[in-house]
């Protein structure tokens, strides 16, 4: 199975290539390869992440050609005659971005954390949680399996804020993954010094997933004791300047959060130069100080996706696992039909995945990865979405 359509390089100017996908043209930055016109590549988030042989490209294109246009028809049909907020958002998504849906892999390599965020099950004060760390070899091998065997083109490497992974380990990890299994590498390792992030960019990472959690400073200070909201936002801005693709956003339904806060958070996400919006419902964890609170209704997250889409027609909006956890049968589908156009599939080995207990009973916690990919692709096809990278990155 393939999550991206190979594109044919048709023009090259400095490190920007123009790529053709069934007649549609996109631009992508090429930091990693010597390319000539006529070569085939995979791009993610506006970066060339893999070069493919003509033979492989032609095989994949043959499968896609017919399917691609068939899926577009289904998507168009479902987006017609919108009646309510979410349907309007879905039709905006269809018009502006077409039917592509990014499917990224996420690898959770450590559940140790030095912080004590009130909402999170990985907080350091949760002494009930068995902790794990994957060593660099294991991380590199798992990433390789995800890229080569499962064909992911973008991988999020996520952990608690775990200083055991020092500069040397993190650089080695990124360099080895980039060399062995080329994909877009997205770091989600919390607040580390900007200089370290800059070195990791040089090592080959190109994305950062770092939510600002809430744009309400008083609420932020309450939820993340000892942390400064401005420092986090300044870090996100600095990483954007350094060239990273930014994925950021907020939690929905934190105790004390208002509707106005959520609208401001959508605006703040957009103002940070965000490549992908990442926001999802807060789900209370029994071993945290917020155990007695409830999750927001699923409708609140769906409406936030819809508002974010209407306010930012061309953005990528992630449908999160936390939304899916609120309704395991239909959460993903509803998120995609409310304006979402991006997903992640967990590629963490199952034994560790169960221990990455940010919130309880996560969707896909015990699933077999290949079955999960199969069911996700089936869902995408049923609503006319192509699991591809088309429509992303720098527009011509
Ligand atoms: N330690 C890193 C990355 C891992 S946490 C960081 O904090 O940035 C990833 C995300 O999980 C956080 O950004 C937070 O928004 C989300 N999260 C934590 N606890 C949660 C909960 N109880 N319900 C829903 N999402 C939660
Ligand atoms: Fe640690 Fe991130 Fe959880 Fe906060 S949200 S406790 S930083 S893993």
């Amino acid at each position: 199975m393939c999550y991206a359509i190979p594109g044919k390089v048709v023009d090259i100017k400095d490190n920007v290539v123009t790529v053709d996908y069934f007649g549609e043209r996109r631009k992508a930055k090429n930091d990693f390869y010597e390319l000539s016109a006529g070569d085939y590549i995979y791009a993610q988030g506006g970066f060339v992440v893999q070069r493919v042989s003509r033979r492989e490209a032609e095989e994949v294109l043959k499968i896609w050609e017919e399917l691609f246009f068939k899926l577009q028809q289904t998507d168009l049909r479902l987006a017609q005659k919108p009646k309510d907020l979410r349907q309007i958002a879905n039709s905006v998504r269809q018009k502006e971005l077409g039917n592509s849906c990014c499917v990224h892999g996420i690898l959770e390599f450590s559940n140790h954390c030095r912080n004590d965020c009130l909402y999170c099950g990985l907080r350091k004060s949760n002494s009930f949680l068995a902790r794990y760390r994957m060593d660099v070899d294991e991380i590199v091998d798992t990433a390789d399996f995800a890229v080569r065997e499962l064909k992911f083109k973008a991988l999020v490497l996520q952990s608690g804020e775990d200083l055991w992974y020092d500069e040397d380990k993190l650089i080695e990890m990124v360099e080895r993954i980039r060399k062995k299994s080329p994909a877009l590498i997205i770091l989600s390792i919390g607040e580390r010094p900007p200089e370290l992030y800059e070195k990791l960019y040089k090592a080959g990472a190109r994305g950062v997933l770092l939510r600002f959690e809430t744009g309400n400073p008083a609420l932020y200070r309450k939820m993340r004791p000892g942390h400064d909201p401005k420092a986090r936002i300044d870090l996100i801005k600095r990483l954007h300047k350094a060239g990273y693709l930014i994925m950021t956003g907020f939690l929905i339904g934190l105790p004390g959060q208002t509707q106005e806060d959520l609208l401001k958070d959508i605006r703040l996400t957009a103002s940070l130069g965000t490549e992908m919006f990442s926001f999802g419902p807060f789900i209370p964890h029994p071993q945290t100080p917020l155990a007695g609170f409830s999750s927001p209704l699923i409708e609140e997250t769906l409406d936030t996706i819809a508002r974010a889409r209407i306010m930012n027609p061309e953005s990528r909006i992630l449908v999160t696992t936390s939304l899916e956890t609120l309704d395991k049968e239909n959460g993903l589908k509803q998120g995609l039909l409310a304006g979402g156009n991006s997903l992640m599939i967990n590629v963490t080995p199952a034994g560790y995945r169960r221990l990455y207990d940010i919130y309880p009973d996560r969707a896909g916690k015990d699933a077999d990865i290949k079955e999960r990919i199969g069911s996700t692709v089936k869902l995408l096809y049923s609503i006319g979405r192509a699991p591809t990278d088309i429509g992303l990155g720098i527009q011509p």
Side-chain angles (χ1 to χ4, degrees):
M1 194 53 241
C2 196
Y3 307 102
I5 294 180
K8 189 177 189 172
V9 175
V10 290
D11 188 39
I12 302 174
K13 271 204 185 74
D14 302 324
N15 74 335
V16 176
V17 293
T18 305
V19 189
D20 180 278
Y21 299 93
F22 299 129
E24 281 185 47
R25 295 206 165 177
R26 306 280 170 216
K27 293 200 172 175
K29 266 196 209 147
N30 172 34
D31 288 347
F32 301 116
Y33 299 97
E34 286 276 324
L35 293 175
S36 335
D39 285 344
Y40 285 92
I41 55 107
Y42 283 116
Q44 281 284 294
F47 284 100
V48 175
V49 294
Q50 226 181 76
R51 185 182 181 152
V52 258
S53 69
R54 170 183 293 265
R55 197 174 55 84
E56 182 185 331
E58 283 173 352
E59 264 170 35
V60 177
L61 285 169
K62 218 164 95 191
I63 301 170
W64 268 110
E65 201 164 13
E66 199 184 326
L67 184 61
F68 187 67
F69 294 105
K70 220 162 75 189
L71 292 173
Q72 274 184 344
Q73 292 307 315
T74 309
D75 182 38
L76 181 64
R77 185 167 45 75
L78 290 173
Q80 269 162 0
K81 300 199 183 122
K83 291 189 196 70
D84 58 23
L85 178 75
R86 293 177 216 154
Q87 290 178 6
I88 291 170
N90 186 43
S91 119
V92 169
R93 189 264 324 140
Q94 188 276 327
K95 275 199 197 83
E96 297 294 330
L97 296 164
N99 69 336
S100 71
C101 180
C102 314
V103 184
H104 294 176
I106 178 164
L107 167 52
E108 297 153 342
F109 62 89
S110 160
N111 70 352
H112 286 259
C113 189
R114 63 170 162 167
N115 292 330
D116 234 353
C117 306
L118 261 60
Y119 40 78
C120 177
L122 304 194
R123 66 199 306 268
K124 69 173 178 210
S125 303
N126 180 7
S127 52
F128 293 93
L129 183 65
R131 305 277 174 169
Y132 72 89
R133 283 187 177 113
M134 291 169 68
D135 65 23
V136 174
D137 286 346
E138 206 175 1
I139 297 170
V140 171
D141 287 348
T142 310
D144 194 52
F145 178 75
V147 173
R148 277 176 205 274
E149 177 84 16
L150 304 173
K151 308 282 183 209
F152 284 97
K153 306 289 178 235
L155 268 191
V156 178
L157 304 175
Q158 192 175 82
S159 66
E161 238 172 75
D162 183 0
L163 300 192
W164 185 82
Y165 298 89
D166 57 11
E167 186 172 304
D168 289 347
K169 286 197 186 75
L170 288 169
I171 290 177
E172 183 192 341
M173 181 168 123
V174 170
E175 276 178 348
R176 284 177 57 191
I177 295 176
R178 185 54 238 165
K179 203 159 156 209
K180 192 168 179 197
S181 14
L184 179 71
I185 299 176
I186 300 159
L187 301 168
S188 184
I189 54 176
E191 284 175 56
R192 304 293 293 264
E195 296 77 18
L196 169 59
Y197 271 111
E198 280 157 13
K199 287 182 186 158
L200 293 169
Y201 188 93
K202 279 210 186 95
R206 286 293 178 275
V208 165
L209 167 56
L210 185 68
R211 289 178 172 175
F212 57 82
E213 312 295 2
T214 169
N216 175 330
L219 184 60
Y220 183 94
R221 285 195 195 93
K222 224 191 256 171
M223 294 292 136
R224 307 196 75 226
H227 285 262
D228 172 21
K230 188 172 173 298
R232 191 153 173 115
I233 289 182
D234 285 349
L235 176 62
I236 295 170
K237 287 182 182 162
R238 176 140 175 203
L239 299 180
H240 183 238
K241 258 204 190 134
Y244 274 110
L245 296 170
I246 300 296
M247 296 164 199
T248 189
F250 49 93
L251 282 159
I252 298 173
L254 287 173
Q257 194 179 36
T258 64
Q259 281 298 327
E260 203 192 327
D261 285 332
L262 288 178
L263 277 180
K264 283 189 185 158
D265 285 352
I266 296 176
R267 286 194 203 106
L268 178 57
T269 311
S271 77
L272 294 169
T274 304
E275 165 77 12
M276 185 195 282
F277 283 58
S278 165
F279 53 80
F282 153 67
I283 299 176
H285 188 292
Q287 262 88 45
T288 64
L290 303 184
F293 290 88
S294 322
S295 307
L297 294 175
I298 189 167
E299 284 72 19
E300 195 154 354
T301 302
L302 295 171
D303 288 347
T304 307
I305 294 178
R307 290 193 183 103
R309 167 61 61 210
I310 291 166
M311 288 159 74
N312 306 278
E314 292 183 7
S315 59
R316 276 204 275 161
I317 300 179
L318 182 70
V319 180
T320 61
T321 309
S322 52
L323 170 64
E324 190 187 355
T325 300
L326 292 185
D327 177 352
K328 293 195 175 118
E329 279 292 296
N330 283 310
L332 269 187
K333 183 171 172 180
Q334 289 189 76
L336 290 166
L337 289 174
N341 61 342
S342 212
L343 296 176
M344 284 185 193
I345 292 184
N346 201 314
V347 299
T348 311
Y352 296 134
R353 206 188 315 149
R354 267 173 231 128
L355 298 175
Y356 200 80
D357 195 28
I358 288 187
Y359 51 82
D361 204 21
R362 281 196 303 161
K365 182 165 64 87
D366 299 312
D368 172 82
I369 300 177
K370 287 191 176 165
E371 274 172 26
R372 182 109 175 122
I373 291 173
S375 61
T376 306
V377 170
K378 202 165 146 202
L379 164 68
L380 289 173
Y381 286 178
S382 76
I383 56 170
R385 304 293 174 88
T388 73
D389 60 333
I390 279 197
L392 307 177
I394 319 163
Q395 300 298 317

